[in-house]
Amino acid sequence: MASGGLQLLGFILAFVGWIGIIVSTAMPQWKMSSYAGDNLVTAQAIYEGLWMSCVTQSTGQMQCKIYDSLLKLESSLQATRALMVSGILLGIIGIVVAMTGMKCMKCLEDDQVKKMRMAVLGGVILLTAGFAVLVATSWYGNKVARDFYNPFTPVNTRFEFGQALFIGWAAAALTILGGAFLCCSCPRRETSYPPSRPYPKSTTSGKDYV
């Protein structure tokens, strides 16, 4: 049975990972323009994210444009969006459920077994959220890498991994690790023994009188 310290560590890791998932989803730097060629203009940097594309000038000024139509987007981008949003929603549910089952909380104090099961359930939900984000970021990163090494892709349109991808990978790892720690609080089954038979009470008195 896990200690309260391990539960608290798992909750903190999962919470930090969930915050990282939100940050990664909102950032536009999922992929950034590559400077692999020789005759490329480096006065501006192009970033593309899940919701918008941005251009940063050498002066530091950034201009962003939200994607106009959902139907014009690639299916891989739409699937990545769905997985990231699902990870955020599952993270909210997992955090609330895990808080209910933590030993440092006063909820369900009367039933410790049910309390530990709630912590395990929260850990499982957080594990699912972490794996959803891991699949989304890995899928997107694989597509960026394939397009970069594709010989038919023009050099001036190649992209590399952006900061949001690395934050997403780290957030997914923290969420999975935190959920695994919470799952360690699974209650063990106690061996049941048959009830002992009560001894019959003695009806004879200590002294016999004549």
Side-chain angles (χ1 to χ4, degrees):
M1 189 178 297
S3 62
L6 186 61
Q7 270 191 350
L8 183 60
L9 177 62
F11 180 81
I12 293 174
L13 290 176
F15 184 78
V16 174
W18 177 68
I19 296 297
I21 294 172
I22 297 176
V23 173
S24 175
T25 305
M27 288 179 64
Q29 292 91 352
W30 276 67
K31 61 181 181 179
M32 57 183 296
S33 54
S34 174
Y35 302 108
D38 298 329
N39 299 321
L40 295 179
V41 179
T42 59
Q44 63 182 13
I46 302 175
Y47 300 98
E48 290 188 7
L50 302 181
W51 315 98
M52 64 185 71
S53 60
C54 299
V55 176
T56 303
Q57 307 294 335
S58 58
T59 57
Q61 184 181 4
M62 177 181 289
Q63 297 178 347
C64 297
K65 180 183 178 182
I66 299 176
Y67 297 138
D68 297 328
S69 176
L70 178 65
L71 299 178
K72 291 182 179 180
L73 299 177
E74 299 178 357
S75 58
S76 59
L77 180 59
Q78 296 181 16
T80 305
R81 275 184 176 184
L83 287 172
M84 294 299 292
V85 173
S86 299
I88 294 175
L89 296 179
L90 287 173
I92 296 175
I93 299 173
I95 288 173
V96 173
V97 174
M99 285 180 62
T100 306
M102 291 184 64
K103 293 182 179 180
C104 57
M105 303 297 290
K106 294 184 177 180
C107 301
L108 301 175
E109 282 186 336
D110 298 334
D111 193 346
Q112 291 296 323
V113 175
K114 187 175 181 180
K115 188 177 182 68
M116 287 184 289
R117 287 177 179 172
M118 291 294 290
V120 173
L121 179 60
V124 172
I125 297 174
L126 288 170
L127 279 174
T128 307
F131 280 117
V133 174
L134 183 62
V135 170
T137 51
S138 299
W139 188 2
Y140 193 95
N142 181 52
K143 186 178 183 305
V144 173
R146 284 190 290 106
D147 291 341
F148 182 85
Y149 290 109
N150 188 354
F152 298 101
T153 303
V155 177
N156 58 348
T157 60
R158 291 181 180 179
F159 288 87
E160 296 180 356
F161 297 154
Q163 296 92 333
L165 267 181
F166 297 103
I167 295 176
W169 281 323
L174 289 175
T175 307
I176 292 173
L177 187 61
F181 283 167
L182 287 170
C183 289
C184 290
S185 60
C186 181
R188 297 178 181 177
R189 294 183 178 180
E190 297 180 356
T191 306
S192 59
Y193 297 96
S196 59
R197 297 181 180 178
Y199 292 99
K201 295 181 180 180
S202 177
T203 56
T204 58
S205 59
K207 295 181 180 180
D208 294 334
Y209 295 96
V210 180

